[in-house]
Amino acid sequence: MALDKDVLDQLLDTLGRFVREKLVPLEHKVAEDDAIPPEVIAAMREMGLFGLSIPEEYGGLGLSMSDEVQVAFQLGQTSPAFRSLIGTNNGIGSQGIVIDGTEEQKQTYLPRLAAGEIVGAFALTEPESGSDAGSLRTTARRDGDHFILNGTKRYITNAPQAGLFTVFARTDLESRDARGVSAFLVEAGTPGLSLGPIDKKMGQKGAHTCDVIFEDCRVPASAILGGKEGQGFKTAMKVLDRGRLHIGAVCVGLAERLIRDSLSYAMERKQFGQPLAEFQLIQAMLADSRAEAYAARCMVVETARRRDDGQNVNTDAACCKMFSTEMVGRVADRAVQIHGGAGYIADYGIERFYRDVRLFRIYEGTTQIQQLVIARNMIREAA
Ligand code: COS
C-alpha cells in the first residue's frame, strides 16, 4: 500500500534536509573513521529508516515500491555507506521474511528489524559460489528436529553488526543445483556461528562486510524460512528482484548528486578566462550525464509502478540494475574528468564517490548476470 501523499512528501522533505544538513557534512569523517557515528544511527532509527519496506502491522512504514524508490533517490545523494546501514533491513536482510516467512517468523523478527533494534544480513555468496548462486556448498544436515550448518559465506554486507542472518544452505545433500537449497533464519550468537575479520574494501568505507563461518551450527527446523525445504533459492531470487530495483534508485540519486557537484564546479572554476561550463566539451559531459541519469530515473519509477501493480518485473528490475549502475559509473568518471586534478585529490570527495560507485556493478548480481537474466527471459517469452 502506498503512503498518503502528504505523509510521503513530509518524509521526503525531512529526509532531504537530514541528508543535506547532517549526512553530507559527515561524508569525509565516515570514510576516514570507517564508521558511522552512533548519533547518526540513532537519528536514522528515529526517522523509521530501518523499516521503510516492512509492513506497518510489523512496525515498519510499509512503503510501496514507488515510495521506496523516491526515498532511495534522496538517500542516494550522499555516501552509500549511510544507505548501506539501513539497506539490508529494508532489502536483502528482511524481504525474505516479508515475502516468504511464516506468520511466527514475521512476528518474531520484523518488528525488531523495522525498529533498527537488530540489523539483518543476507548470507548467500560463498568462496566458491558467487554468480552461480545455485551451486552453493554450505550444508544443512538434518538431525532430528534440528539442522546442523557447515560452510563459509563471503563478503556478507553488515555481517559484523548483524543480529539476524538469512542463510542459504543445501538441505538436499545429494543435489548440486538451486533445487536443493533452503533458507534459514540464524541469530547472531548461535553457537557454531562466527565472523571473519572485516574486509578491506576499495570504497564504501563505513559499510562493512566479512565472512560468516558455520561450524556444526545447530538450529531448530523452525528456523527454515517459510517452513518449507527446497524453496531457498527462489526466495533469494525474489528478494534480489526487489533489491536490484532499490539499487537502481540509489544509483540515480548518486548520479544526480555528482552532476550537481560537477555543474557547480564547472560554473566556478575558470580556465582560458572563462568558467569551465562555457566550454562545449565540458557541456557535452554534463549533458550526457544529465540525460543518462534522467533515463535511469524514468526506468526505475516505471518499474516500481509496475511492481506495485502486481506485475512480474524480473526483466525490468534487471534492466534497471544494469543500466543505473553502469550509468553512475560513467557519471562518476565524467565527474572526475570535469573536476580535473581536483577530481583525483581526496579533499574534494569526488574520487571517493568514483571508488564507492564501483561496487554497484558487482553486488546484488553483476552487470553480466543482469544481461543473462534479461536475455534468458526474452528468449523464454519469445519461445
Ligand atoms: N523469482 C522467483 N523464482 C525464480 C526467480 C525469480 N526472480 N528466478 C529464478 N527463479 C526460480 C526458477 O523459476 C527456477 O525454478 P524451477 O526449478 O521451479 O523451474 C529456480 O528458481 C532456479 O532458477 P534458474 O534455473 O534460473 O537458476 P540458475 O542456477 O540458472 O541461476 C541466476 C540463475 C544466474 C540468475 C542466479 O543464480 C543469480 O541471480 N545469480 C546471481 C546471484 C547474485 O545476485 N548474487 C549477489 C550476491 S547476493 S547480495
Side-chain angles (χ1 to χ4, degrees), residues 243-264:
R244 288 167 182 170
L245 190 46
H246 178 98
I247 296 292
V250 172
C251 291
V252 169
L254 253 172
E256 290 175 352
R257 159 72 186 275
L258 286 166
I259 293 167
R260 214 168 44 240
D261 286 2
S262 300
L263 177 63
S264 77

Side-chain angles (χ1 to χ4, degrees), residues 125 131 179 233-234 237 240-241 244 314 364-365 376:
T125 300
S131 289
R179 276 179 289 274
F233 186 79
K234 285 185 190 172
M237 291 300 115
L240 287 171
D241 275 348
R244 288 167 182 170
N314 181 238
E364 297 206 20
R376 282 202 333 192

Side-chain angles (χ1 to χ4, degrees), residues 75-109:
L75 258 184
Q77 307 268 336
T78 183
S79 289
F82 296 115
R83 200 284 320 177
S84 183
L85 178 70
I86 60 134
T88 49
N89 279 36
N90 287 298
I92 54 178
S94 74
Q95 289 302 310
I97 307 176
V98 172
I99 297 170
D100 282 337
T102 63
E103 189 50 40
E104 193 186 338
Q105 289 166 343
K106 292 180 184 180
Q107 300 275 1
T108 308
Y109 295 115

Side-chain angles (χ1 to χ4, degrees), residues 128-142:
E128 304 290 335
S129 149
S131 289
D132 186 6
S135 73
L136 61 84
R137 294 181 183 182
T138 294
T139 55
R141 186 166 43 81
R142 194 178 255 284

Side-chain angles (χ1 to χ4, degrees), residues 272-326:
F272 302 102
Q274 57 178 354
L276 293 186
E278 297 299 322
F279 292 98
Q280 290 185 336
L281 295 179
I282 298 287
Q283 290 176 359
M285 285 192 273
L286 289 168
D288 284 354
S289 291
R290 174 70 180 255
E292 289 186 38
Y294 180 51
R297 182 182 260 268
C298 293
M299 284 171 85
V300 166
V301 166
E302 170 63 6
T303 304
R305 186 193 65 74
R306 297 197 33 224
R307 191 182 187 280
D308 286 337
D309 259 8
Q311 299 181 37
N312 179 344
V313 296
N314 181 238
T315 305
D316 298 339
C319 289
C320 288
K321 204 287 180 172
M322 176 177 85
F323 185 78
S324 302
T325 60
E326 293 286 335

